[in-house]
Amino acid sequence: MTASGDGWAIGVDGTRRWGTAGAAGLFLHTRDGDGDLVVLMQLRATWTNQGGTWAMPGGARDLDESAEEAALRETHEETGIDPADVTLEGTLVTARMPLDHVLRREPMSSREAAEVRQGLSAAALDTPGPTGVVHPGHGGSAVMGLDGNLWWEVPHRDVPDWTYTTVIASCDHPLDLAPTDESADLAWWPLDRVAELDLMPAFADSLPMVAELLRGPLDR
């Protein structure tokens, strides 16, 4: 079974980044009917981290998968694009952060969940996020998900730097898109006009570097 990389990575300066094993996204490009270079853009749902901004599809890497595998999986989950229709061209680490620790999600037994719920107020049971309950053994905090499920958020130290890897890829034509609940909108957007969108700050920072690669050979 794949070990999920969902969870927060905490930098030495306290900055939080999503993905305990780092994160990856797919910068997918093609030509439209007029021959113009277009890229796949995702408007993130408002409930997600930095929701309401545009970026490429992507997310946390699972603990045992490569950046390419993560980018393709996340893109399929968020847009419906079949990885078989995508040609990988190269990768680029576009963000790096030294870490103090990560908060990995670990399952909570049904007995533990019942005990946690018994100690919470009605309001807390309806509020996603940390519950304030701490495990007496491993020191993890009980967290309530958006779906009402509980898990332990356990700190792990002595971890490598957090990285975001941009996976550059192409497809033969603008593929059909099927937004999921993580996507408020999806669009094939002209590369030269991407900067006009309200971009996720980290994506905006990396855009000039990644766009330049499309105009020259990639380091495969």
Side-chain angles (χ1 to χ4, degrees), residues 183-199:
S183 305
D185 196 10
L186 297 167
W188 291 101
W189 202 261
L191 177 62
D192 292 340
R193 293 180 52 207
V194 169
E196 299 173 9
L197 298 170
D198 183 10
L199 299 176

Side-chain angles (χ1 to χ4, degrees), residues 1 17-18 25-26 30 37 39 47 52 76 81 93 102 107 126 130 135 142 150 177 186 197 210-211 214 220:
M1 181 177 179
R17 294 286 183 267
W18 185 249
L26 192 71
T30 189
L37 187 61
V39 296
W47 63 267
H76 176 67
I81 287 178
V93 174
V102 298
D126 290 332
H135 192 284
L150 287 160
L177 305 172
L186 297 167
L197 298 170
V210 178
L214 298 187
R220 296 176 186 271

Side-chain angles (χ1 to χ4, degrees), residues 54-199:
W54 289 85
M56 58 188 154
R61 292 172 59 175
D62 286 336
L63 301 188
D64 58 353
E65 69 180 350
S66 67
E68 293 91 337
E69 291 169 336
L72 290 171
R73 172 181 56 76
E74 288 282 346
T75 298
H76 176 67
E77 292 173 359
E78 296 172 359
T79 72
I81 287 178
D82 188 338
D85 294 328
V86 172
T87 299
L88 298 178
E89 297 183 339
T91 62
L92 180 68
V93 174
T94 47
R96 182 181 298 274
M97 182 178 73
L99 293 181
D100 180 77
H101 64 282
V102 298
L103 297 172
R104 291 196 182 130
R105 294 184 176 185
E106 296 187 5
M108 185 179 294
S109 70
S110 56
R111 178 184 60 80
E112 290 173 331
E115 291 176 352
V116 170
R117 292 181 191 279
Q118 286 179 352
L120 297 178
S121 66
L125 288 171
D126 290 332
T127 305
T131 64
V133 178
V134 177
H135 192 284
H138 55 55
S141 298
V143 177
M144 178 80 70
L146 291 170
D147 57 4
N149 290 325
L150 287 160
W151 64 81
W152 295 113
E153 201 170 63
V154 183
H156 290 261
R157 301 185 185 275
D158 191 23
V159 289
D161 289 354
W162 182 91
T163 58
Y164 191 98
T165 302
T166 296
V167 178
I168 302 171
S170 62
C171 52
D172 291 338
H173 59 275
L175 301 169
D176 291 338
L177 305 172
T180 64
D181 64 343
E182 294 186 58
S183 305
D185 196 10
L186 297 167
W188 291 101
W189 202 261
L191 177 62
D192 292 340
R193 293 180 52 207
V194 169
E196 299 173 9
L197 298 170
D198 183 10
L199 299 176

